[in-house]
Amino acid sequence: MRQIYGLSQRELAKRVGLTNSTISMIERNAVSPSVASLKKILSGIPMTVTEFLPPILKPNGRWFIALMN
């Protein structure tokens, strides 16, 4: 999403108050962001957590948001 919005890792990191290395490690799947960090990152795009995570239909027909890697 960062690249779709034309942002470098450094620019996004500066916008949201995280380090460039944190953004890089998250993108490389070296670390998983906390929910708070994910919300910060998405605020710099801008996008909500709900918009970012895909909805999944459970067998009982109810929708939920999955936090998965």
Side-chain angles (χ1 to χ4, degrees):
M1 291 308 301
R2 171 186 62 77
Q3 291 174 330
I4 289 171
Y5 282 87
L7 299 170
S8 68
Q9 288 179 348
R10 287 188 194 283
E11 187 175 357
L12 179 59
K14 185 176 180 179
R15 279 186 182 193
V16 301
L18 296 173
T19 64
N20 176 39
S21 62
T22 298
I23 301 293
S24 176
M25 287 188 298
I26 291 168
E27 288 185 359
R28 288 183 288 118
N29 213 20
V31 297
S32 294
S34 65
V35 173
S37 292
L38 179 60
K39 287 173 97 174
K40 279 184 180 182
I41 292 166
L42 293 175
S43 73
I45 291 181
M47 176 180 274
T48 67
V49 174
T50 305
E51 292 168 332
F52 178 73
L53 296 173
I56 297 173
L57 184 61
K58 292 171 63 173
N60 66 3
R62 292 190 171 172
W63 290 95
F64 72 102
I65 300 295
L67 297 174
M68 52 174 78
N69 217 350

Coordinates of all heavy atoms in Angstrom, one line a residue:
M1 N 0.8 -1.2 0.0 CA 0.0 0.0 0.0 C 0.9 1.3 0.0 O 0.5 2.2 -0.6 CB -0.9 0.0 1.2 CG -2.0 -1.1 1.2 SD -3.0 -1.1 -0.3 CE -3.7 0.5 -0.4
R2 N 2.0 1.2 0.7 CA 2.9 2.3 0.8 C 3.3 2.7 -0.6 O 3.3 3.9 -1.0 CB 4.1 2.0 1.6 CG 5.2 3.0 1.6 CD 6.4 2.5 2.3 NE 7.0 1.4 1.8 CZ 7.8 1.3 0.8 NH1 8.1 2.3 0.0 NH2 8.3 0.1 0.4
Q3 N 3.7 1.7 -1.4 CA 4.2 2.0 -2.8 C 3.1 2.5 -3.7 O 3.3 3.4 -4.5 CB 4.8 0.7 -3.4 CG 6.1 0.4 -2.7 CD 6.7 -0.9 -3.1 OE1 5.9 -1.8 -3.5 NE2 8.0 -1.1 -3.0
I4 N 1.9 2.0 -3.5 CA 0.7 2.4 -4.3 C 0.5 3.9 -4.1 O 0.2 4.7 -5.0 CB -0.6 1.6 -3.9 CG1 -0.4 0.2 -4.5 CG2 -1.8 2.3 -4.5 CD1 -1.5 -0.7 -4.0
Y5 N 0.7 4.4 -2.8 CA 0.6 5.8 -2.5 C 1.8 6.6 -2.8 O 1.9 7.8 -2.5 CB 0.1 6.0 -1.1 CG -1.3 5.7 -0.9 CD1 -1.8 4.4 -0.6 CD2 -2.3 6.7 -0.9 CE1 -3.2 4.2 -0.5 CE2 -3.6 6.5 -0.8 CZ -4.1 5.2 -0.5 OH -5.4 4.9 -0.4
G6 N 2.8 6.0 -3.4 CA 4.0 6.7 -3.8 C 4.9 7.2 -2.7 O 5.6 8.2 -2.8
L7 N 4.9 6.4 -1.5 CA 5.7 6.8 -0.4 C 6.9 6.0 -0.2 O 6.8 4.7 -0.4 CB 4.9 6.7 0.9 CG 3.6 7.6 1.0 CD1 2.8 7.2 2.2 CD2 4.0 9.0 1.1
S8 N 8.0 6.6 0.1 CA 9.2 5.8 0.5 C 9.1 5.3 1.9 O 8.2 5.8 2.6 CB 10.5 6.6 0.3 OG 10.5 7.6 1.3
Q9 N 9.9 4.3 2.3 CA 9.8 3.9 3.7 C 10.2 5.0 4.6 O 9.5 5.2 5.6 CB 10.8 2.7 3.9 CG 10.4 1.4 3.2 CD 11.3 0.3 3.4 OE1 12.5 0.5 3.9 NE2 10.9 -0.9 3.1
R10 N 11.2 5.8 4.2 CA 11.6 6.9 5.1 C 10.4 8.0 5.2 O 10.2 8.5 6.3 CB 12.8 7.6 4.5 CG 14.1 6.8 4.7 CD 15.3 7.7 4.3 NE 16.5 6.9 4.1 CZ 17.2 6.4 5.1 NH1 16.9 6.7 6.3 NH2 18.2 5.7 4.9
E11 N 9.8 8.3 4.1 CA 8.7 9.3 4.2 C 7.5 8.8 5.0 O 7.0 9.5 5.9 CB 8.2 9.6 2.8 CG 7.2 10.7 2.7 CD 6.8 11.0 1.3 OE1 7.4 10.4 0.3 OE2 6.0 11.9 1.1
L12 N 7.2 7.5 4.9 CA 6.1 7.0 5.7 C 6.5 7.0 7.2 O 5.7 7.3 8.0 CB 5.7 5.6 5.2 CG 4.6 4.9 6.0 CD1 3.3 5.7 6.0 CD2 4.4 3.5 5.5
A13 N 7.7 6.5 7.4 CA 8.2 6.5 8.8 C 8.1 7.8 9.5 O 7.7 8.0 10.6 CB 9.6 5.9 8.9
K14 N 8.6 8.8 8.7 CA 8.6 10.2 9.3 C 7.2 10.7 9.5 O 6.9 11.3 10.6 CB 9.3 11.1 8.3 CG 9.4 12.5 8.8 CD 10.2 13.4 7.8 CE 10.4 14.8 8.3 NZ 11.1 15.6 7.4
R15 N 6.2 10.4 8.6 CA 4.8 10.8 8.8 C 4.2 10.2 10.0 O 3.4 10.9 10.6 CB 4.0 10.3 7.6 CG 4.1 11.1 6.4 CD 3.1 10.6 5.4 NE 3.1 11.3 4.1 CZ 2.2 11.3 3.2 NH1 1.2 10.5 3.3 NH2 2.4 12.0 2.1
V16 N 4.5 9.0 10.4 CA 3.8 8.3 11.4 C 4.6 8.1 12.7 O 4.1 7.6 13.7 CB 3.3 6.9 10.9 CG1 2.4 7.0 9.8 CG2 4.5 6.0 10.6
G17 N 5.8 8.6 12.7 CA 6.6 8.6 14.0 C 7.3 7.3 14.3 O 7.5 6.9 15.5
L18 N 7.5 6.5 13.3 CA 8.3 5.2 13.5 C 9.6 5.3 12.8 O 9.8 6.3 12.0 CB 7.5 4.0 12.9 CG 6.1 3.7 13.6 CD1 5.4 2.7 12.8 CD2 6.4 3.3 15.0
T19 N 10.5 4.4 13.0 CA 11.8 4.4 12.3 C 11.7 3.7 10.9 O 10.8 2.9 10.7 CB 12.9 3.7 13.1 OG1 12.5 2.3 13.2 CG2 13.0 4.3 14.5
N20 N 12.5 4.2 10.1 CA 12.6 3.5 8.7 C 12.9 2.1 8.9 O 12.3 1.2 8.1 CB 13.7 4.2 7.9 CG 14.0 3.6 6.6 OD1 13.0 3.2 5.9 ND2 15.2 3.5 6.2
S21 N 13.7 1.7 9.8 CA 14.1 0.3 10.0 C 12.8 -0.5 10.4 O 12.7 -1.7 10.0 CB 15.2 0.1 10.9 OG 14.9 0.5 12.2
T22 N 12.0 0.1 11.2 CA 10.8 -0.6 11.7 C 9.9 -0.9 10.5 O 9.4 -2.0 10.3 CB 10.0 0.2 12.7 OG1 10.8 0.4 13.9 CG2 8.7 -0.4 13.1
I23 N 9.7 0.1 9.6 CA 8.9 -0.1 8.4 C 9.5 -1.2 7.6 O 8.8 -2.1 7.1 CB 8.7 1.2 7.6 CG1 8.1 2.3 8.5 CG2 8.0 1.0 6.3 CD1 6.7 2.2 8.8
S24 N 10.8 -1.2 7.4 CA 11.5 -2.2 6.6 C 11.3 -3.6 7.1 O 11.0 -4.5 6.4 CB 12.9 -1.8 6.5 OG 13.6 -2.8 5.8
M25 N 11.4 -3.7 8.4 CA 11.3 -5.1 9.0 C 9.9 -5.6 8.9 O 9.7 -6.8 8.7 CB 11.8 -5.0 10.5 CG 13.3 -4.9 10.7 SD 13.8 -5.1 12.4 CE 13.0 -3.7 13.2
I26 N 8.9 -4.7 9.1 CA 7.5 -5.1 8.9 C 7.3 -5.6 7.5 O 6.6 -6.6 7.2 CB 6.5 -4.0 9.3 CG1 6.6 -3.8 10.8 CG2 5.1 -4.3 8.9 CD1 5.9 -2.5 11.3
E27 N 7.7 -4.8 6.5 CA 7.5 -5.2 5.1 C 8.2 -6.5 4.7 O 7.8 -7.2 3.8 CB 8.0 -4.0 4.2 CG 7.1 -2.8 4.3 CD 7.4 -1.7 3.3 OE1 8.4 -1.9 2.6 OE2 6.7 -0.7 3.3
R28 N 9.3 -6.7 5.4 CA 10.1 -8.0 5.1 C 9.6 -9.2 5.9 O 10.1 -10.3 5.8 CB 11.6 -7.8 5.3 CG 12.3 -6.9 4.3 CD 13.8 -6.8 4.6 NE 14.0 -6.0 5.8 CZ 14.6 -6.4 6.9 NH1 15.1 -7.6 7.0 NH2 14.8 -5.6 7.9
N29 N 8.5 -8.9 6.7 CA 8.0 -9.9 7.5 C 8.9 -10.4 8.6 O 8.8 -11.6 9.0 CB 7.4 -11.1 6.7 CG 6.2 -11.7 7.3 OD1 5.5 -11.1 8.1 ND2 5.9 -12.9 6.9
A30 N 9.9 -9.6 8.9 CA 10.9 -9.9 10.0 C 10.3 -9.7 11.4 O 10.7 -10.4 12.3 CB 12.1 -9.1 9.8
V31 N 9.3 -8.8 11.5 CA 8.6 -8.6 12.7 C 7.1 -8.3 12.4 O 6.8 -7.9 11.3 CB 9.1 -7.4 13.5 CG1 10.5 -7.6 14.0 CG2 9.0 -6.1 12.8
S32 N 6.3 -8.6 13.3 CA 4.8 -8.3 13.2 C 4.5 -7.0 13.9 O 4.9 -6.9 15.1 CB 4.0 -9.4 13.7 OG 4.2 -10.6 13.0
P33 N 3.8 -6.1 13.3 CA 3.5 -4.8 14.0 C 2.5 -5.1 15.1 O 1.6 -5.9 15.0 CB 3.0 -3.9 12.9 CG 2.4 -4.9 12.0 CD 3.3 -6.1 12.0
S34 N 2.6 -4.3 16.2 CA 1.5 -4.3 17.1 C 0.3 -3.6 16.5 O 0.4 -2.9 15.4 CB 1.9 -3.5 18.4 OG 2.1 -2.1 18.0
V35 N -0.9 -3.8 17.1 CA -2.1 -3.1 16.5 C -1.8 -1.6 16.6 O -2.2 -0.9 15.6 CB -3.3 -3.5 17.3 CG1 -4.5 -2.7 16.9 CG2 -3.6 -5.0 17.2
A36 N -1.2 -1.1 17.6 CA -1.0 0.4 17.7 C 0.0 0.8 16.6 O -0.3 1.9 15.9 CB -0.4 0.7 19.0
S37 N 1.0 0.1 16.3 CA 1.9 0.4 15.2 C 1.2 0.3 13.8 O 1.4 1.2 13.0 CB 3.2 -0.5 15.2 OG 4.0 -0.2 16.3
L38 N 0.4 -0.7 13.7 CA -0.3 -0.8 12.4 C -1.3 0.4 12.2 O -1.3 0.9 11.1 CB -1.1 -2.1 12.4 CG -2.0 -2.4 11.2 CD1 -1.1 -2.5 9.9 CD2 -2.8 -3.7 11.3
K39 N -1.9 0.8 13.3 CA -2.8 2.0 13.2 C -2.0 3.2 12.8 O -2.5 4.0 12.0 CB -3.6 2.2 14.5 CG -4.7 1.1 14.7 CD -5.3 1.3 16.1 CE -6.5 2.0 16.0 NZ -7.3 2.1 17.3
K40 N -0.8 3.4 13.4 CA 0.0 4.5 13.0 C 0.4 4.5 11.6 O 0.3 5.5 10.9 CB 1.3 4.5 13.9 CG 1.2 5.0 15.2 CD 2.6 5.0 15.9 CE 2.6 5.6 17.3 NZ 3.9 5.6 17.9
I41 N 0.9 3.3 11.1 CA 1.3 3.2 9.7 C 0.2 3.5 8.8 O 0.3 4.2 7.8 CB 1.9 1.8 9.5 CG1 3.2 1.6 10.2 CG2 2.1 1.5 8.0 CD1 3.6 0.1 10.3
L42 N -1.0 2.9 9.1 CA -2.1 3.2 8.2 C -2.6 4.6 8.2 O -3.2 5.1 7.2 CB -3.3 2.2 8.5 CG -3.0 0.7 8.3 CD1 -4.1 -0.2 8.8 CD2 -2.7 0.5 6.8
S43 N -2.4 5.3 9.3 CA -2.8 6.7 9.3 C -2.0 7.6 8.4 O -2.4 8.6 7.9 CB -2.7 7.3 10.8 OG -1.3 7.4 11.1
G44 N -0.8 7.1 8.1 CA 0.1 7.8 7.1 C -0.2 7.6 5.7 O 0.3 8.3 4.8
I45 N -1.2 6.7 5.4 CA -1.4 6.4 4.0 C -2.5 7.2 3.4 O -2.3 7.7 2.2 CB -1.7 4.8 3.8 CG1 -0.4 4.1 4.1 CG2 -2.3 4.5 2.5 CD1 -0.4 2.6 4.0
P46 N -3.6 7.6 3.9 CA -4.4 7.2 5.1 C -5.4 6.0 4.7 O -6.0 6.0 3.7 CB -5.2 8.4 5.4 CG -5.5 9.1 4.1 CD -4.3 8.7 3.3
M47 N -5.5 5.1 5.7 CA -6.4 4.0 5.6 C -6.7 3.5 7.0 O -5.8 3.5 7.8 CB -5.7 2.9 4.8 CG -6.4 1.6 4.6 SD -5.4 0.5 3.6 CE -5.9 1.0 2.0
T48 N -7.9 3.0 7.2 CA -8.2 2.4 8.5 C -7.8 1.0 8.5 O -7.6 0.3 7.5 CB -9.7 2.5 8.8 OG1 -10.5 1.7 7.9 CG2 -10.2 4.0 8.7
V49 N -7.8 0.4 9.7 CA -7.5 -1.0 9.9 C -8.5 -1.8 9.2 O -8.2 -2.8 8.6 CB -7.3 -1.4 11.4 CG1 -7.2 -2.8 11.6 CG2 -6.2 -0.6 12.1
T50 N -9.8 -1.4 9.4 CA -10.9 -2.2 8.7 C -10.8 -2.2 7.2 O -11.0 -3.2 6.6 CB -12.2 -1.5 9.1 OG1 -12.3 -1.5 10.6 CG2 -13.4 -2.3 8.6
E51 N -10.3 -1.1 6.6 CA -10.1 -1.0 5.2 C -8.9 -1.9 4.8 O -8.9 -2.5 3.7 CB -9.9 0.4 4.7 CG -11.1 1.3 4.8 CD -10.8 2.7 4.7 OE1 -9.6 3.2 5.0 OE2 -11.7 3.5 4.2
F52 N -7.9 -2.0 5.6 CA -6.7 -2.7 5.3 C -6.9 -4.3 5.4 O -6.4 -5.0 4.5 CB -5.6 -2.3 6.3 CG -4.3 -3.0 6.0 CD1 -3.5 -2.7 4.9 CD2 -3.9 -4.0 7.0 CE1 -2.3 -3.4 4.8 CE2 -2.7 -4.6 6.8 CZ -1.9 -4.3 5.7
L53 N -7.6 -4.7 6.4 CA -7.8 -6.2 6.6 C -8.9 -6.7 5.8 O -10.0 -6.1 5.8 CB -8.0 -6.5 8.1 CG -6.8 -6.1 9.0 CD1 -7.2 -6.3 10.4 CD2 -5.6 -6.9 8.7
P54 N -8.7 -7.8 5.2 CA -9.8 -8.4 4.4 C -10.9 -9.0 5.2 O -10.6 -9.7 6.2 CB -9.1 -9.5 3.5 CG -8.0 -9.9 4.4 CD -7.5 -8.6 5.1
P55 N -12.1 -8.8 4.9 CA -13.2 -9.5 5.7 C -13.2 -11.0 5.3 O -12.9 -11.3 4.1 CB -14.5 -8.8 5.3 CG -14.2 -8.2 3.9 CD -12.7 -7.9 3.9
I56 N -13.6 -11.8 6.2 CA -13.7 -13.3 5.9 C -15.0 -13.7 6.4 O -15.5 -13.4 7.5 CB -12.6 -14.0 6.7 CG1 -11.2 -13.5 6.1 CG2 -12.7 -15.5 6.5 CD1 -10.0 -14.1 6.9
L57 N -15.7 -14.5 5.5 CA -17.0 -15.1 5.9 C -16.8 -16.4 6.6 O -16.2 -17.3 6.0 CB -17.8 -15.3 4.6 CG -19.3 -15.7 4.8 CD1 -20.1 -14.7 5.6 CD2 -19.9 -15.9 3.4
K58 N -17.3 -16.5 7.8 CA -17.2 -17.7 8.6 C -18.3 -18.7 8.1 O -19.3 -18.3 7.5 CB -17.4 -17.4 10.1 CG -16.3 -16.6 10.7 CD -16.6 -16.2 12.1 CE -16.8 -17.3 13.0 NZ -17.0 -16.8 14.4
P59 N -18.2 -20.0 8.4 CA -19.2 -21.0 7.9 C -20.6 -20.7 8.4 O -21.5 -21.0 7.7 CB -18.7 -22.3 8.5 CG -17.2 -22.1 8.7 CD -17.0 -20.6 9.0
N60 N -20.7 -20.0 9.5 CA -22.1 -19.6 10.0 C -22.7 -18.4 9.3 O -23.8 -18.0 9.6 CB -22.1 -19.4 11.5 CG -21.3 -18.2 12.0 OD1 -20.8 -17.5 11.2 ND2 -21.2 -18.0 13.3
G61 N -21.9 -17.9 8.3 CA -22.4 -16.7 7.6 C -22.1 -15.4 8.1 O -22.5 -14.4 7.6
R62 N -21.4 -15.3 9.3 CA -21.0 -14.1 9.9 C -19.7 -13.6 9.4 O -18.8 -14.4 9.1 CB -21.0 -14.2 11.4 CG -22.3 -14.4 12.0 CD -22.3 -14.3 13.5 NE -23.6 -14.3 14.0 CZ -23.9 -14.3 15.3 NH1 -22.9 -14.4 16.2 NH2 -25.1 -14.3 15.7
W63 N -19.6 -12.3 9.2 CA -18.3 -11.7 8.8 C -17.5 -11.3 10.0 O -18.0 -11.0 11.0 CB -18.6 -10.4 8.0 CG -19.2 -10.6 6.7 CD1 -20.5 -10.6 6.4 CD2 -18.5 -11.0 5.5 NE1 -20.7 -10.8 5.1 CE2 -19.5 -11.1 4.5 CE3 -17.2 -11.2 5.1 CZ2 -19.2 -11.4 3.2 CZ3 -16.9 -11.5 3.8 CH2 -17.9 -11.6 2.8
F64 N -16.2 -11.5 9.8 CA -15.2 -11.0 10.9 C -13.9 -10.5 10.2 O -13.7 -10.9 9.0 CB -15.0 -12.0 11.9 CG -14.1 -13.2 11.5 CD1 -12.8 -13.2 11.9 CD2 -14.6 -14.2 10.7 CE1 -12.0 -14.3 11.5 CE2 -13.8 -15.3 10.3 CZ -12.5 -15.3 10.7
I65 N -13.1 -9.8 10.9 CA -11.8 -9.3 10.4 C -10.8 -10.2 10.9 O -10.7 -10.4 12.1 CB -11.6 -7.9 10.8 CG1 -12.6 -6.9 10.2 CG2 -10.2 -7.4 10.3 CD1 -12.7 -6.8 8.7
A66 N -9.9 -10.8 10.1 CA -8.9 -11.7 10.5 C -7.6 -11.0 10.6 O -7.2 -10.3 9.7 CB -8.8 -12.9 9.6
L67 N -6.9 -11.2 11.8 CA -5.6 -10.7 11.9 C -4.6 -11.8 11.7 O -4.4 -12.7 12.6 CB -5.4 -10.1 13.4 CG -6.2 -8.9 13.7 CD1 -6.0 -8.5 15.2 CD2 -5.8 -7.7 12.9
M68 N -4.2 -11.9 10.5 CA -3.3 -13.1 10.2 C -2.1 -12.6 9.4 O -2.1 -11.6 8.8 CB -4.0 -14.2 9.4 CG -4.8 -13.7 8.2 SD -5.5 -15.1 7.3 CE -7.0 -15.5 8.3
N69 N -1.1 -13.4 9.4 CA 0.2 -13.1 8.8 C 0.2 -13.7 7.4 O -0.3 -14.8 7.1 CB 1.3 -13.8 9.6 CG 2.5 -12.9 9.6 OD1 2.6 -11.9 8.9 ND2 3.4 -13.2 10.4

